[in-house]
Amino acid sequence: MKIGLEIHIQLPTKSKMFCSCPIVSTDIANTYVCPVCLGLPGSKPFLNKHAVELGLIIAKKLNCTIPETTWFSRKSYFYPDLCKHFQITQYDMPIGKNGVFYFGKKPIRITRCHLEEDPGRINRTDSGLSLVDYNRSGVPLIEIVTEPDISSPIEAREFLSTLLTEVKDAIDLDDKGLSIRCDCNISVGKERCEVKNVTGLKNIELCLKYEAMRQTKLIKAGGRVVRETRRFDEDRKATFPSRKKEFESDYGYIGEPDLGIYHLSKIVDNIKIRESLLARVSRFQKDYSINELAARQIINTSTKLADLFEELVKVSSVDIARPLITGTIAANWKAFEPVMDEKSEELKSIVIDLSKGNITDTECDLKLKMLMTGKESAEESSLVSANLDVLVENVVKENPTVLADCLKNEKAINRIIGIVMKRTNGRYSSSDIVSTTKRVIGNMGFHSGNT
């Protein structure tokens, strides 16, 4: 069995590939369109530079060869979702080719990475009408084409999941912004079939399983697999014929006359590629002596969480940082990540206090939860109260003259308030310190007026 994938990923740009229409999610059809993305006579496209930069990042991530120059072509076909009857894409000079992506120890060859525009969306109604929404027309895509190096539907799903994790990290794309469609090419015998526009990892695996079974049964029955394009029905979990499979020559590629030749060398020189997530997992195992499962848990949660782990190791130790990162910090990460830049130093200071023995594990957990969520739990309130009692008691013991003054004149308690506020950077209110001081002095066997 041989499987090859054509993976279409929407690039996270603010505007479309060849015009300034914004990319906005809306249920109102044909709202964000213009003469360019509608292909009206006289309109001319212009290239979105940011889309090129994102495409080059992905191409480099997949170890592709980057050409000195690139250009675009018109791919002609007639379908309602392509109102100008051609798609602007890349054909003979893509932004990346001859790459490789290591899935575990297995190399999956990358034939090419190229940029193109998305067509519109056809919505079929219950009454049998087909309505076209062109809001999606012109949205920038990168298409990643693999060689048929994948051996099973399960491997295809696992490979695609790993690949997407790397791509999302490379271009800072979150799961909410991830839009992916996959054309699945599969052959059990000599001839292959292509299943177009399959969405979702689970559906891709189910689609390939069904198609492998269908082709196998057909061959065993003495039939012949016909080269064709098929579609996957998600409800019936089966593939059905769509149209005869086209060949590249059927598309009548010509150079796009309204776009020029683009030089990539300067752009490529300015692109910095992050360390591969798989490589980072291996480095975490080697540098910090943690198992693969823990390393993957940290890195797959967030690149920033992995960065924070390495910072905490520097100010404490692996034994202290790892359980905090995989436990309390990971559990509250969603609330903390948006304010991480503002509060990371405060978080590190809490961990430093733990490593120095200034606070217990329980106190550290409670302090981290309060810092990360901005909410004080009942346990934290209890801890705050207990800590203030201990602090005031220590101040009183350290300053017997202040205690003597307080016994003669209650206003002298202001000195204790000043000392406590200085030591805690004003965390406690003066009323809390006053009431706590009176309680502590009473517990020590004194009350106002005694000598």
Side-chain angles (χ1 to χ4, degrees):
M1 183 186 303
K2 293 182 178 180
I3 296 172
L5 302 176
E6 299 173 22
I7 307 154
H8 302 80
I9 301 173
Q10 180 179 322
L11 296 174
T13 58
K14 293 181 179 179
S15 59
K16 293 184 179 181
M17 188 73 176
F18 300 112
C19 67
S20 57
C21 288
I23 299 173
V24 180
S25 177
T26 176
D27 293 328
I28 305 174
N30 300 311
T31 306
Y32 299 101
V33 293
C34 74
V36 174
C37 52
L38 289 176
L40 299 183
S43 62
K44 289 191 175 183
F46 52 91
L47 184 59
N48 185 329
K49 182 182 177 182
H50 186 45
V52 177
E53 292 170 341
L54 293 174
L56 288 171
I57 289 173
I58 294 172
K60 288 191 71 173
K61 192 78 171 179
L62 299 179
N63 303 294
C64 289
T65 301
I66 310 294
E68 282 290 323
T69 58
T70 190
W71 54 83
F72 289 82
S73 299
R74 291 182 177 184
K75 178 182 180 180
S76 300
Y77 63 93
F78 299 93
Y79 209 62
D81 59 0
L82 202 64
C83 52
K84 58 187 176 228
H85 301 311
F86 65 84
Q87 179 188 35
I88 302 179
T89 182
Q90 292 187 304
Y91 176 54
D92 46 357
M93 190 54 72
I95 59 168
K97 55 186 178 180
N98 300 328
V100 63
F101 182 81
Y102 285 92
F103 174 54
K105 295 182 179 180
K106 181 176 181 177
I108 304 294
R109 291 171 294 165
I110 306 297
T111 311
R112 57 190 280 132
C113 293
H114 66 259
L115 297 169
E116 63 185 20
E117 60 177 341
D118 211 351
R121 187 194 307 271
I122 297 177
N123 298 316
R124 293 178 172 83
T125 66
D126 295 335
S127 61
L129 291 174
S130 293
L131 306 176
V132 185
D133 178 8
Y134 291 112
N135 280 334
R136 196 178 70 181
S137 180
V139 167
L141 300 177
I142 185 165
E143 181 174 345
I144 301 168
V145 182
T146 78
E147 291 289 324
D149 294 338
I150 302 168
S151 305
S152 70
I154 294 175
E155 186 176 81
R157 177 177 179 170
E158 292 174 348
F159 158 74
L160 191 53
S161 175
T162 305
L163 176 75
L164 291 177
T165 300
E166 291 285 354
V167 169
K168 285 188 295 183
D169 177 66
I171 60 176
D172 294 321
L173 182 62
D174 58 27
D175 288 324
K176 287 184 179 180
L178 181 63
S179 176
I180 175 176
R181 299 193 303 278
C182 196
D183 298 342
C184 305
N185 294 277
I186 177 170
S187 62
V188 174
K190 294 181 179 180
E191 193 56 86
R192 68 183 172 92
C193 289
E194 179 181 34
V195 187
K196 298 284 284 187
N197 296 326
V198 187
T199 59
L201 297 178
K202 183 179 179 181
N203 283 333
I204 289 167
E205 182 183 356
L206 291 173
C207 156
L208 289 168
K209 281 182 176 178
Y210 177 87
E211 188 58 21
M213 186 182 300
R214 184 190 72 86
Q215 291 185 25
T216 300
K217 287 182 177 179
L218 189 60
I219 293 170
K220 285 184 177 180
R224 184 174 65 89
V225 175
V226 179
R227 183 180 174 118
E228 63 183 352
T229 297
R230 301 176 69 86
R231 63 180 178 84
F232 179 66
D233 188 308
E234 294 183 11
D235 295 327
R236 289 184 279 182
K237 296 179 176 55
T239 68
F240 297 93
S242 176
R243 61 182 185 267
K244 183 181 177 182
K245 175 62 183 170
E246 297 95 343
F247 294 84
E248 290 299 303
S249 57
D250 295 329
Y251 291 119
Y253 285 96
I254 62 169
E256 170 54 70
D258 292 328
L259 293 170
I261 295 175
Y262 300 93
H263 297 266
L264 299 178
S265 55
K266 288 185 179 180
I267 301 177
V268 172
D269 290 342
N270 293 326
I271 288 176
K272 305 298 181 186
I273 302 297
R274 294 188 188 131
E275 179 184 22
S276 162
L277 296 183
L278 296 175
R280 199 172 194 184
V281 168
S282 298
R283 182 169 63 79
F284 271 32
Q285 291 177 262
K286 179 181 177 182
D287 292 355
Y288 304 122
S289 300
I290 60 178
N291 61 46
E292 182 180 359
L293 184 62
R296 284 186 177 276
Q297 180 186 351
I298 295 169
I299 292 166
N300 289 340
T301 299
S302 168
T303 301
K304 288 186 177 180
L305 182 67
D307 294 340
L308 180 61
F309 169 70
E310 297 205 79
E311 291 179 25
L312 294 183
V313 169
K314 292 177 183 177
V315 299
S316 58
S317 68
V318 174
D319 290 339
I320 289 175
R322 184 185 58 76
L324 290 176
I325 283 287
T326 57
T328 304
I329 295 176
N332 298 282
W333 183 250
K334 284 187 178 179
F336 184 68
E337 188 171 14
V339 295
M340 176 183 169
D341 293 339
E342 304 168 21
K343 296 185 176 182
S344 60
E345 292 302 318
E346 192 174 351
L347 186 146
K348 282 193 278 188
S349 70
I350 294 172
V351 176
I352 290 172
D353 280 344
L354 175 65
S355 66
K356 290 182 177 179
N358 296 337
I359 56 176
T360 65
D361 291 342
T362 302
E363 290 172 334
C364 178
D365 281 345
L366 291 172
K367 285 177 180 290
L368 288 175
K369 287 178 185 176
M370 182 177 177
L371 173 68
M372 297 180 76
T373 63
K375 298 176 182 178
E376 186 172 271
S377 64
E379 293 91 344
E380 175 69 13
S381 299
S382 175
L383 177 65
V384 166
S385 177
N387 283 347
L388 184 57
D389 278 18
V390 172
L391 181 59
V392 170
E393 184 175 342
N394 288 337
V395 170
V396 169
K397 289 179 178 179
E398 293 168 6
N399 298 273
T401 57
V402 175
L403 175 60
D405 291 341
C406 287
L407 295 176
K408 295 176 183 178
N409 183 358
E410 284 191 4
K411 290 184 178 180
I413 207 170
N414 289 334
R415 289 180 61 189
I416 294 178
I417 294 174
I419 295 171
V420 172
M421 281 192 163
K422 185 176 181 180
R423 289 188 181 182
T424 61
N425 294 318
R427 180 175 182 182
Y428 304 99
S429 67
S430 57
S431 59
D432 286 341
I433 299 173
V434 169
S435 60
T436 301
T437 302
K438 289 180 178 180
R439 183 172 64 253
V440 167
I441 291 175
N443 290 338
M444 294 173 70
F446 300 99
H447 58 82
S448 297
N450 282 359
T451 57

